[in-house]
Amino acid sequence: MTQAPAPSRKDRRRHDREIIALAVPAFGALVAEPLFVLVDSAIVGHLGTPQLAGLAVAAALLTTAVSIFVFLAYATTAAVARRVGAGDPKAAIRQGVDGIWLAILLGAGVVALTLPSAPWLIGLFGASDTAAPYAITYLRISSLGIPAMLVVLAATGVLRGLQDTRTPLYVAIGGFGANAALNVALVYGAGLGIAGSAWGTVIAQCAMAAVYLVVVVRGARRHGASLRPDAAGIRASAQAGAPLLVRTLSLRAVLLIATAVAARLGDTEIAAHQIILSLWSLTAFALDAIAIAGQAIIGRFLGAGDTVGAREICRRMVQWGIASGVLLGALIVLTRPLFIPLFTGDPAVRDTLLPALLVVAATQPVAGIVFVWDGVLMGAGDGPYLARAMLVTLAVFAPVALLVPRLGGGLTALWWTMGMMMAVRLLTLWLRTRSGRWLVTGATR
């Protein structure tokens, strides 16, 4: 395989500007979304412990349900970006519209399943008799906003594919503000309690979806793209997203297994694990922002038939991923005396937490590369390979993680297995990017 010439300093600066222009707003939008649950928790927490416990269970179910369908954003980003690169904005918008229709259909299906099964789902999570009624109320009302949440995912993918990450940032900030104001007004002003919190979130999500739809409709009209549902297009969107669904489910399985193992280790270990997992998720948002930039840029380059440019930007984003990982790892180490007391005052939890936290810090550069290559292959539409690679990773991780308690390992050993999991992902992704088989050009893959 012929080695591409090294990019000039001017090219590197151009790549850097493009990565920053897409990644920074994407990071802001990613961070804004979890704040919805944080605001709900802060407001509902003042109603009482049973209400907060009910919210925790229902929110976990909703977050899981929505995260499963994140492929709506990923697959749409790649497909739209390819058509943008190919110089066909009409087809790009049409592809995005198909993704939005798929989101509406999936959302309606989830609502139809959730409403009657809410008591069973809450019971499955073991909610107490006092918390269960509140959890059921919150889940049933909030589930009405799932179609809007999925439309937001798909429409975000459309705009990212169009190389626009600023609009999703503005919408996310507006949605966060509206959610906070509505929660206060409905929970306390209208006296609706936990139901008011749920309705506030539903209204905010629907408003966000409406803003996105206005933006997409305007783009469709400007380029003469049809807004009607097209069965073939919706089916193609589903087929493109299916492998990414498998990838996401496999990754969720890894996290669930790690939490289950931590729970077996004891109360101190699971408490420390939850703190570390929260921090790990926060660093993932920063690294995922670079991956999102990769999805949009790589898709555009390949759509334009520019494999040299795709390789150059991939190489530059890997450098960004490594640098970001080193920076995040250093921040974790240097700021640990400041943030650990915010999470716990228990000396036993702190002692258990610290060595495992250092493992997380040490593996951040690996995570930086993994996130970048993950985004590059998503942008290339290489979903089937990502699905297979994540299944292999799960198959390696699961037995090793389950052996940790049997071999007398603690939380630090568990997080070393998480580091091993990232190393396996690194290997599988390196093999693919090195092979060049992901460099498939054209408006469609």
Side-chain angles (χ1 to χ4, degrees), residues 6-43:
S8 66
R9 182 177 298 180
K10 181 179 179 181
D11 287 335
R12 288 197 299 271
R13 283 199 297 265
R14 177 169 53 83
H15 292 327
D16 289 345
R17 285 194 299 269
E18 189 169 17
I19 293 168
I20 292 170
L22 290 172
V24 172
F27 174 68
L30 288 169
V31 171
E33 283 299 317
L35 293 178
F36 273 72
V37 176
L38 185 62
V39 167
D40 288 2
S41 300
I43 294 172

Side-chain angles (χ1 to χ4, degrees), residues 370-440:
V370 166
F371 273 77
V372 167
W373 278 341
D374 207 40
V376 165
L377 296 185
M378 283 185 193
D382 207 8
Y385 181 83
L386 289 173
R388 293 192 298 271
M390 199 62 223
L391 286 172
V392 169
T393 302
L394 175 59
V396 173
F397 170 80
V400 176
L402 293 173
L403 280 174
V404 169
R406 293 191 177 188
L407 297 178
L411 188 66
T412 302
L414 174 61
W415 274 93
W416 273 119
T417 66
M418 289 289 285
M420 178 206 69
M421 179 271 294
M422 295 302 291
V424 174
R425 292 187 70 190
L426 180 74
L427 176 61
T428 58
L429 296 173
W430 173 76
L431 289 173
R432 189 62 167 183
T433 53
R434 183 175 181 273
S435 72
R437 293 177 184 174
W438 56 280
L439 291 165
V440 179

